[in-house]
Amino acid sequence: MLEEGLAELDAFSNSSAPDSLKMQGQLKAIQAHLNAGQMDQATARMLNNTWSITTMPELAQLAFSALRCGEYSMATGRYQAALKLFQLVPPKSQLVRLKKEKLDDLKLRILSGRRRAILATNRHQQQYLGRLEQQLTQQLEALETSEDYTPTFYLHYGQCLLFDGQLYKVWLMFEYISLKEAYETSIREEAHYRWVICAHQLQDWEEALTIARNFVERYPDSKLAPQALYLIAKAHLEQRRFSESIDVLNDLIQSFPDHPLHGRWVFTRGFNQVVLEDYEAARTDFARYATEHPQGQLAINSRLWNALTYFFERNYAACIDQLSELRSLDSRHPLYPEILYRLASAHYSARDYEPALETIDDYLKNFARHQRVNEAHVLRGDILMGQGLLEEATASFDSVSWESPDMYLYSLFQRGKIYRAQEDYPGMVQLFESFLEEDESPKIRVTEALYWLGLSARWKNGSSLPGF
């Protein structure tokens, strides 16, 4: 029966009937899908029609259908579809106003002189208008006494905007909801927290701090208060206010020891302490995380950073010991190439050139698309220079792409040093001339390149050579 009815409504929609009647037919079809629990079909009809309804009661039916289908689209991760549907939903106050206007218009018709003319020719008209007035009055009372869907709808609309990356619109939406005193506290609280998240994603750190502090002051007992405090700590970190970030994290770690994010707070405090060069305190936090959360998301990160604290202190032996342990991990781990690169760097800094070369070759062989590949070619060149293998070092430096400007320029001048050591002045001239003439190469350190180009030309002609 359902399929037959839908087929008839579709046939009617393809007829020459007025558009207003066709839309009523589509609304009935959508309602039939909703009643049958066919959310995908109802949503598809909502999205595939162009709606231009402005009168009641069809506008209310359209709004509630769009709201249901929009929430379904949001729940299934189709945020752009949800946004398109939510745009069809007016606030409840607008529906109430339009319903009142329709009822008031009907009452005026009944009381006007047109009523007498109608009654004179058609007694049944009075009964019809009376029934219609009663029906509209009941609909209005039901709408007025029903729960206001508007705050939750605005919250969901803002969430879809957030997921869709429309951050400036999100900001305005969540700010409006959080400051709307007529809305329930729970709605305003959630909107305020998401306002903080929006400010973070926009990297507006001062505003993020202000909004987050206001949240904590307004909702000190909220279950979201710890997350808001953590966002304050992260905002401090992004502003390089590391001590302030640590102060907030200290309060969090002490006040919420059982919170699911407790381990992340400990790790973040350790990172702040690394930046402040308080390596002992950092190691204490990284060790605490590794002990309390051996299978945690940041377990390997904490062990890696713990090793790096020794590197920063130039205690290369301790760093190498810890990184060597990490090297036994599954090579599919996302941090494995970083571990190899850092281990090669530690060996090089300790002047252990053979293990340094073996490790960086392992990296380049297996992770040629990793983000540090240009740095790895540079490191390999430095290792080979340390071994006195200048030709091989030149080839490694020559592998560095100009798309990584800092690494490219470092490699360029390292090659210049090699040519100088080999007294290959024509090669040195050609190197710097090519750099200066190449349109795509980064135009940084040009003055330095001109200086060495001039000196190499003099050396080529037999002038005395200053120390390099």
Side-chain angles (χ1 to χ4, degrees):
M1 292 293 293
L2 176 61
E3 296 301 324
E4 293 177 1
L6 292 172
E8 290 182 6
L9 287 172
D10 287 335
F12 178 73
S13 295
N14 293 324
S15 69
S16 59
D19 289 340
S20 59
L21 294 179
K22 291 181 182 180
M23 288 187 187
Q24 290 181 30
Q26 284 300 309
L27 286 174
K28 290 183 181 297
I30 290 166
Q31 189 60 52
H33 284 306
L34 293 174
N35 292 341
Q38 298 175 349
M39 294 302 301
D40 286 322
Q41 293 89 329
T43 302
R45 283 186 183 268
M46 286 294 306
L47 292 169
N48 293 333
N49 277 281
T50 301
W51 303 99
S52 58
I53 296 175
T54 58
T55 58
M56 299 292 279
E58 290 81 8
L59 183 61
Q61 186 177 352
L62 175 66
F64 289 120
S65 297
L67 187 60
R68 284 189 63 182
C69 292
E71 290 179 341
Y72 174 73
S73 297
M74 177 181 171
T76 53
R78 295 175 291 176
Y79 302 115
Q80 290 186 348
L83 288 172
K84 184 176 179 180
L85 292 166
F86 283 155
Q87 289 169 358
L88 298 171
V89 183
K92 178 186 173 182
S93 59
Q94 183 177 339
L95 291 181
V96 171
R97 177 177 59 80
L98 291 172
K99 182 70 78 173
K100 284 182 176 179
E101 289 176 357
K102 188 173 183 66
L103 182 58
D104 291 342
D105 180 66
L106 177 63
K107 289 179 178 179
L108 285 175
R109 285 184 60 193
I110 293 174
L111 295 174
S112 68
R114 292 175 55 196
R115 175 173 177 258
R116 290 189 297 273
I118 291 173
L119 291 176
T121 57
N122 188 352
R123 295 179 59 188
H124 297 292
Q125 188 73 19
Q126 182 182 17
Q127 297 176 357
Y128 167 74
L129 292 175
R131 287 195 303 270
L132 185 58
E133 180 184 9
Q134 183 181 12
Q135 183 181 14
L136 288 176
T137 300
Q138 292 173 348
Q139 291 175 355
L140 177 60
E141 290 176 354
L143 185 61
E144 287 180 323
T145 57
S146 66
E147 183 180 357
D148 188 0
Y149 63 84
T150 308
T152 303
F153 156 61
Y154 280 165
L155 186 64
H156 290 172
Y157 185 63
Q159 289 171 350
C160 284
L161 289 170
L162 184 63
F163 289 133
D164 197 48
Q166 300 185 44
L167 298 180
Y168 291 103
K169 290 183 180 179
V170 174
W171 182 299
L172 295 174
M173 178 63 73
F174 287 144
E175 180 181 19
Y176 172 82
I177 299 171
S178 64
L179 299 179
K180 187 74 171 179
E181 295 185 359
Y183 290 169
E184 291 184 5
T185 300
S186 60
I187 297 292
R188 297 176 62 199
E189 176 186 331
E190 186 169 351
H192 198 145
Y193 177 71
R194 294 186 180 279
W195 185 14
V196 179
I197 294 175
C198 177
H200 266 259
Q201 292 195 3
L202 284 169
Q203 299 184 6
D204 191 338
W205 305 119
E206 281 297 334
E207 287 290 344
L209 280 170
T210 301
I211 298 166
R213 285 170 178 150
N214 289 340
F215 178 91
V216 175
E217 290 175 4
R218 186 175 294 177
Y219 310 106
D221 299 324
S222 169
K223 65 180 182 179
L224 296 172
Q227 288 96 310
L229 285 168
Y230 181 51
L231 291 174
I232 290 175
K234 288 184 67 177
H236 281 311
L237 190 155
E238 293 292 343
Q239 292 180 307
R240 306 187 67 79
R241 298 174 180 172
F242 303 111
S243 297
E244 290 90 335
S245 180
I246 289 173
D247 289 341
V248 176
L249 290 166
N250 287 339
D251 291 339
L252 276 170
I253 291 166
Q254 182 176 357
S255 302
F256 304 97
D258 299 321
H259 195 277
L261 292 177
H262 186 267
R264 185 172 291 274
W265 302 337
V266 172
F267 176 87
T268 305
R269 184 174 66 180
F271 178 82
N272 278 284
Q273 288 160 342
V274 169
V275 180
L276 292 176
E277 300 182 5
D278 189 351
Y279 300 123
E280 280 295 334
R283 283 194 284 270
T284 299
D285 276 337
F286 294 141
R288 177 178 177 179
Y289 182 96
T291 300
E292 295 179 356
H293 308 277
Q295 303 301 320
Q297 280 188 328
L298 300 173
I300 304 304
N301 303 63
S302 65
R303 292 175 62 188
L304 174 59
W305 277 102
N306 193 73
L308 292 178
T309 60
Y310 290 110
F311 182 89
F312 301 143
E313 289 180 325
R314 299 186 179 183
N315 185 348
Y316 302 123
C319 179
I320 290 169
D321 286 343
Q322 296 202 12
L323 290 175
S324 296
E325 290 182 13
L326 287 171
R327 191 177 183 179
S328 63
L329 291 172
D330 188 334
S331 61
R332 292 172 296 182
H333 192 282
L335 285 177
Y336 194 80
E338 182 72 16
I339 291 167
L340 285 182
Y341 174 80
R342 294 291 187 173
L343 179 58
S345 297
H347 277 302
Y348 169 73
S349 297
R351 299 187 179 183
D352 299 331
Y353 297 130
E354 286 297 332
L357 185 61
E358 179 273 326
T359 305
I360 204 63
D361 281 344
D362 186 9
Y363 170 97
L364 288 168
K365 177 182 177 181
N366 294 293
F367 304 101
R369 295 184 178 180
H370 188 254
Q371 61 185 5
R372 288 195 184 275
V373 67
N374 280 315
E375 295 172 65
H377 282 298
V378 167
L379 177 57
R380 187 174 189 274
D382 284 341
I383 293 168
L384 291 166
M385 283 184 71
Q387 293 179 308
L389 302 173
L390 301 185
E391 294 294 339
E392 292 88 337
T394 298
S396 187
F397 288 130
D398 197 38
S399 301
V400 178
S401 168
W402 58 265
E403 293 177 353
S404 180
D406 291 341
M407 294 296 103
Y408 176 83
L409 289 170
Y410 178 86
S411 297
L412 180 82
F413 284 93
Q414 288 295 85
R415 288 164 64 193
K417 288 182 179 181
I418 292 173
Y419 286 136
R420 164 67 182 88
Q422 295 174 326
E423 298 186 357
D424 183 359
Y425 305 120
M428 198 171 179
V429 170
Q430 183 180 0
L431 173 70
F432 289 115
E433 283 183 344
S434 297
F435 165 68
L436 294 169
E437 293 172 358
E438 176 59 54
D439 292 335
E440 293 183 339
S441 63
K443 292 301 180 281
I444 308 171
R445 298 177 69 177
V446 171
T447 302
E448 188 177 354
L450 288 170
Y451 170 76
W452 288 114
L453 178 61
L455 286 182
S456 59
R458 288 177 55 198
W459 297 337
K460 178 182 176 182
N461 295 327
S463 300
S464 60
L465 309 179
F468 196 83

